[in-house]
Amino acid sequence: DVKVTQSSRYLVKRTGEKVFLECVQDMDHENMFWYRQDPGLGLRLIYFSYDVKMKEKGDIPEGYSVSREKKERFSLILESASTNQTSMYLCASSLYPVNSNQPQHFGDGTRLSIL
Amino acid sequence: QKEVEQNSGPLSVPEGAIASLNCTYSDRGSQSFFWYRQYSGKSPELIMFIYSNGDKEDGRFTAQLNKASQYVSLLIRDSQPSDSATYLCAVRPGTYKYIFGTGTRLKVLA
């Protein structure tokens, strides 16, 4: 089974802090994704990566950056945390789409609160 | 128009009944379609995917795809209280990105 592991289930930080969310997958997937999920807004893509050191902006990249130094690890960075970044953060991974039928597999999520 | 639309619900069905969940999408070039189940406070888990027109069955679940009408549906037969969750429809319009609907909340009444 695919295993996507997020480093923290719950995290509380203060405004202005630099926050790191870590995600590791064990299935040698090329693609990795960071989403945030808010009530009524669904899953919104922040960034994704299709290869080591490669990254692409998603729909809401402002205030975030990412790092992918190794294939199995994809980090989300909140440069200067703000209260409107309080959310559930979900990491996902998928195989490179030789065909288009590769699903995403999600980690357990990190519920981040910014005070 | 949202790229992927789902009725937010809640959809309430009695135990043992068939639950029908629907999803429409706007990108005609979309190739593959996924259904995820998400329990409150948990992350989405994949139920099934479909990429060809018609029906695909997996146990109590059937996914139906109609590309001409741009909709995909999920039927849950013999619904159980444990099926109560939010069901997310996801569409893959291109190579990398997945577009999610906001989900339909299903309540199965015992």
Side-chain angles (χ1 to χ4, degrees):
Chain A
D1 276 356
V2 176
K3 185 67 175 176
V4 179
T5 303
Q6 294 184 230
S7 53
S8 305
R9 288 299 313 275
Y10 301 94
L11 207 53
V12 179
K13 296 291 183 181
R14 298 203 173 276
T15 54
E17 281 192 70
K18 192 169 187 176
V19 181
F20 294 84
L21 301 182
E22 306 288 344
C23 176
V24 176
Q25 50 92 6
D26 67 356
M27 286 303 292
D28 204 34
H29 284 176
E30 291 82 3
N31 302 332
M32 297 188 75
F33 307 79
W34 275 106
Y35 295 89
R36 63 178 284 178
Q37 187 175 32
D38 301 287
L41 297 179
L43 281 158
R44 292 183 291 168
L45 181 64
I46 305 171
Y47 268 96
F48 68 99
S49 168
Y50 52 89
D51 202 351
V52 176
K53 296 189 185 294
M54 305 303 288
K55 60 186 179 185
E56 291 283 343
K57 293 180 179 179
D59 301 316
I60 52 163
E62 297 78 18
Y64 302 95
S65 63
V66 290
S67 172
R68 193 162 181 205
E69 296 296 320
K70 294 185 177 181
K71 190 175 185 180
E72 67 270 19
R73 186 179 298 270
F74 192 35
S75 302
L76 179 69
I77 303 155
L78 285 66
E79 297 292 342
S80 178
S82 64
T83 55
N84 63 11
Q85 292 178 309
T86 291
S87 186
M88 168 72 97
Y89 288 86
L90 290 160
C91 175
S93 71
S94 70
L95 278 171
Y96 179 78
V98 174
N99 56 53
S100 60
N101 305 327
Q102 301 298 339
Q104 288 186 316
H105 300 270
F106 286 87
D108 288 337
T110 296
R111 189 165 292 280
L112 175 64
S113 296
I114 307 296
L115 304 179
Chain B
Q1 182 190 7
K2 290 183 181 177
E3 293 180 82
V4 178
E5 293 209 53
Q6 295 181 257
N7 189 316
S8 60
L11 172 66
S12 295
V13 299
E15 185 175 356
I18 296 175
S20 178
L21 306 162
N22 299 313
C23 171
T24 59
Y25 60 95
S26 60
D27 189 330
R28 283 195 169 274
S30 298
Q31 297 296 315
S32 49
F33 309 85
F34 306 86
W35 282 101
Y36 288 84
R37 177 175 61 199
Q38 186 174 25
Y39 292 111
S40 180
K42 302 293 186 181
S43 63
E45 57 178 319
L46 180 71
I47 298 174
M48 60 192 307
F49 64 86
I50 186 168
Y51 55 90
S52 298
N53 275 327
D55 295 0
K56 179 181 178 183
E57 188 173 316
D58 184 0
R60 295 187 296 114
F61 300 96
T62 299
Q64 299 175 318
L65 175 61
N66 184 322
K67 289 187 177 181
S69 300
Q70 294 176 243
Y71 83 78
V72 57
S73 61
L74 180 70
L75 301 178
I76 306 174
R77 288 183 300 281
D78 189 24
S79 296
Q80 301 297 309
S82 58
D83 294 326
S84 298
T86 296
Y87 289 80
L88 303 176
C89 171
V91 173
R92 191 170 201 175
T95 304
Y96 297 110
K97 291 175 71 172
Y98 301 72
I99 310 297
F100 284 82
T102 53
T104 298
R105 191 156 63 96
L106 173 66
K107 296 175 72 173
V108 180
L109 307 172

